[in-house]
Amino acid sequence: MPATRPSLAVEIAGLKLQNPVMPASGTFGYGEEYAPYLDLNRLGALVTKGLSLNPKAGNPTPRIAETTSGMLNAIGLQNVGVSEFIQGKTPLYRQLTTPVIANFFGNTLEEYGEVARRLADIPEIAAVELNISCPNVKQGGIVFGTEPTAAAQVVTLVRKALQKPLIVKLTPNVTDITVIARAVEEAGADAISCINTLTGMAIDVKSRKAKIANRTGGLSGPAIRPVAVRMTYQVVQAVKIPVIGIGGIMCARDALEFLIVGARAVQVGTANFIDPGVMMTIIDDLEQFLVDEGLTDINQVIGSFTG
Amino acid sequence: MKNYATIILSNQEISPAYFRMRILTPGFAAVAAPGQFVMVRPELGLPTMLRRPFGIFRTGCLPAECEGLPPREYMEILYKVVGEGTRILSELHQGDRVELLGPLGNGFDLGAPGREKLLVGGGIGLVPLFMLGEALLAQGSRVRLLMGGRTRDDILALTEFERSGVETYVSTDDGSFGEAGLVTKVLERKLRKYPDAEVYACGPMPMLRAVADLCASLRADLQVSLEAHMACGVGACLGCVVKGVGHSEATPRYLCTCKAGPVFAAAALDWERATVASDGCGGECK
């Protein structure tokens, strides 16, 4: 056994994280849902459910379906709205040492700006993650994430509205993700998280109907991991700002794939539903990996890809 | 509530496509309330990843086999094989390991002691009613179970209900067991005889809608236990929502079946626009 434990600490856009593991937005509620199952203070960061200016009802049910090694969802960004979030959810965050990253979106450019302004002065929110990539709503979200000019426009607006570290979450549902990545970097993003879900569809062969009411949904889970690793690798090459890798991470080995290709941190999504304690296991196993490899710092792994 | 890996004590087919699984659950019986549910999946569960929700049928305790060893607490689920997840579970054996999260959700309100209680179960919907029946009997209420199914194969565990002291009435759509016809016909008769009765129902959504309509028209108090597709079971994924009274796009009133339910007062739900994803999910979804 080494005399000192290896360091898992990483830094993203000035945000100091004790380890690189955080939940993906929408898979961890507002944090309170999982508080009975794990110590929130052990997480690298806590990422909230996506917030909009007004409460949002979300899509009709059924909203979820399991597919081969994956899960389709079309929740439709149901959330309590930014005012209720600030009033009802942030008191919990005051008790945490883990930094909280608020994920948010808007239906219009103006709404993006307004939510950003509301979050700007909330001390419990350490950073924001701008969602321009949800595939499940007609307006907003992905409209801004698939076109570089629109993506740059919304990032510029949000950048002006608040001083906190600004992470932009990208969609994989584009021809070339590096074009969008460069556009948001130039517009002032401090970091990029990639990827959001891949648009997918599943059919009930007896009824001949789609398995979810929205017909199409976002595919997540281990089925998308190779795509996500590839896109993370591409984005890391394309930009200078830090990248957070997301997509089908189930264990430390999966997380390491993203870190090795250059992601500075990772987000765990669907796996939280399967095992509420999975992020704790991943953190422990990352530390064990460093010990086994004779390394002292997770930063020795980040970007260590050898081709 | 706990999240743990544990072992199967037994897993048997009790009627065509219906299984009864007994799982070792130390420290569980004392905290599980009637109407709560658990999320279960086989350990190393691929090719299905997500846990499946199941109503808790009963809890119990096996006597210690040797002096000095603690008694073994267990929980039982009854489920119907309706998809890949339940098919895989049905092929597990004694000693196989499962991951279990629970007990989850809100159970039944036991209501006023001494009042007539009518339990209405459709097919696998009888699952949460057994513990409820026991609890209602323990508080001194008279309990009647109205059990409906398509055929006699869908009528389960009647003897256990009777042994516990619950009076049972059976109806099947094809008349192969008990009275021919829908369970709501029996319910209407009983409600006219016991107008003060409190009603508890669990089963497929068309049955629950019919029960809700009937109870509303006869002004009977009704609680329903809903089934829904769930990913997390703890209110994080928002996949299992149902519309509450007063729901609209402008004023969303989506309630998580897992966290606000699975038991709801019927009056709290928007039955006009109820779209819970329960069709055909049988025991796979609580």
Side-chain angles (χ1 to χ4, degrees), chain A:
Chain A
M1 281 290 286
T4 53
R5 294 168 68 175
S7 169
L8 289 177
V10 295
E11 190 176 325
I12 291 171
L15 205 59
K16 289 183 167 55
L17 311 181
Q18 61 182 328
N19 65 64
V21 180
M22 58 184 97
S25 175
T27 67
F28 206 65
Y30 300 100
E32 61 195 10
E33 295 83 351
Y34 281 102
Y37 303 100
L38 71 169
D39 179 1
L40 298 176
N41 280 330
R42 284 200 60 209
L43 297 173
L46 193 163
V47 184
T48 70
K49 173 82 188 153
L51 302 163
S52 50
L53 183 58
N54 299 309
K56 195 166 164 57
N59 288 332
T61 58
R63 292 171 163 189
I64 52 171
E66 184 168 350
T67 63
T68 308
S69 294
M71 176 181 150
L72 270 184
N73 91 80
I75 304 299
L77 295 171
Q78 178 184 337
N79 78 96
V80 297
V82 71
S83 299
E84 168 57 25
F85 170 78
I86 292 167
Q87 205 177 4
K89 309 296 179 186
T90 53
L92 167 71
Y93 306 151
R94 234 164 278 158
Q95 302 160 26
L96 300 181
T97 51
T98 294
V100 176
I101 300 172
N103 180 292
F104 73 100
F105 66 97
N107 285 328
T108 62
L109 209 53
E110 290 70 32
E111 275 188 32
Y112 270 102
E114 183 56 29
V115 183
R117 276 188 287 280
R118 300 273 187 102
L119 293 170
D121 300 322
I122 308 299
E124 291 83 4
I125 303 303
V128 295
E129 184 179 64
L130 180 63
N131 179 4
I132 55 169
S133 48
C134 178
N136 294 325
V137 289
K138 289 195 181 84
Q139 285 185 307
I142 203 161
V143 173
F144 294 97
T146 50
E147 209 277 303
T149 314
Q153 208 178 0
V154 68
V155 172
T156 304
L157 182 85
V158 169
R159 177 73 291 165
K160 279 184 193 150
L162 86 185
Q163 301 303 311
K164 298 177 195 291
L166 169 58
I167 305 161
V168 181
K169 185 167 177 179
L170 301 187
T171 174
N173 301 309
V174 290
T175 311
D176 184 354
I177 196 169
T178 62
V179 174
I180 311 288
R182 276 192 288 263
V184 302
E185 179 183 39
E186 282 166 23
D190 296 313
I192 285 171
S193 46
C194 72
I195 57 176
N196 206 319
T197 54
L198 284 150
T199 307
M201 197 169 178
I203 311 297
D204 181 315
V205 297
K206 282 191 179 166
S207 67
R208 272 77 158 170
K209 288 180 179 168
K211 283 189 175 176
I212 52 178
N214 200 49
R215 295 190 179 166
T216 62
L219 180 66
S220 62
I224 73 165
R225 194 174 59 250
V227 177
V229 172
R230 181 264 293 181
M231 288 192 165
T232 302
Y233 168 67
Q234 288 178 317
V235 171
V236 166
Q237 306 298 310
V239 298
K240 293 186 180 66
I241 52 179
V243 176
I244 302 169
I246 318 165
I249 294 172
M250 305 292 285
C251 61
R253 188 165 289 275
D254 298 342
L256 283 161
E257 287 195 50
F258 287 89
L259 298 173
I260 288 166
V261 299
R264 210 73 72 81
V266 293
Q267 292 182 2
V268 178
T270 303
N272 292 312
F273 299 150
I274 299 162
D275 176 6
V278 70
M279 288 191 289
M280 302 297 104
T281 310
I282 291 173
I283 293 164
D284 291 342
D285 290 352
L286 282 178
E287 186 177 316
Q288 189 58 47
F289 176 82
L290 295 182
V291 172
D292 294 346
E293 294 280 309
L295 301 172
T296 56
D297 192 323
I298 194 79
N299 288 288
Q300 294 169 285
V301 174
I302 292 169
S304 61
F305 183 57
T306 58

Side-chain angles (χ1 to χ4, degrees), chain B residues 121-125 150 202-209 227 278-280:
Chain B
I124 204 71
R150 288 204 178 98
C202 183
M205 189 46 99
M207 184 203 95
L208 291 182
R209 267 209 196 93
E227 300 178 331
S278 68
D279 295 343

Side-chain angles (χ1 to χ4, degrees), chain A residues 26-29 32-34 36-37 49 55-71 75 77-79 220-222 250 270 272-277, chain B residues 1-3 39 41 46-52 99 101-104 229-232 234-243 247-250 252 254-255 259 275-277:
Chain A
T27 67
F28 206 65
E32 61 195 10
E33 295 83 351
Y34 281 102
Y37 303 100
K49 173 82 188 153
K56 195 166 164 57
N59 288 332
T61 58
R63 292 171 163 189
I64 52 171
E66 184 168 350
T67 63
T68 308
S69 294
M71 176 181 150
I75 304 299
L77 295 171
Q78 178 184 337
N79 78 96
S220 62
M250 305 292 285
T270 303
N272 292 312
F273 299 150
I274 299 162
D275 176 6
Chain B
M1 59 203 139
K2 284 185 176 178
N3 176 32
M39 301 287 287
R41 77 166 198 150
L46 294 171
T48 55
M49 311 176 302
L50 299 174
R51 299 179 193 223
R52 300 293 192 267
E99 292 171 9
L101 183 65
L104 299 167
H229 293 298
M230 293 177 189
C232 71
V234 299
C237 75
L238 307 179
C240 65
V241 293
V242 58
K243 287 168 184 161
H247 171 92
S248 71
E249 183 66 26
Y254 272 127
L255 306 167
K259 210 174 177 191
T275 54
V276 168

Side-chain angles (χ1 to χ4, degrees), chain B residues 80-103:
Chain B
K80 187 177 184 181
V81 174
V82 291
E84 186 70 355
T86 41
R87 187 189 62 74
I88 291 169
L89 276 184
S90 75
E91 289 168 359
L92 299 179
H93 299 97
Q94 181 184 1
D96 285 342
R97 292 176 70 84
V98 287
E99 292 171 9
L100 185 141
L101 183 65

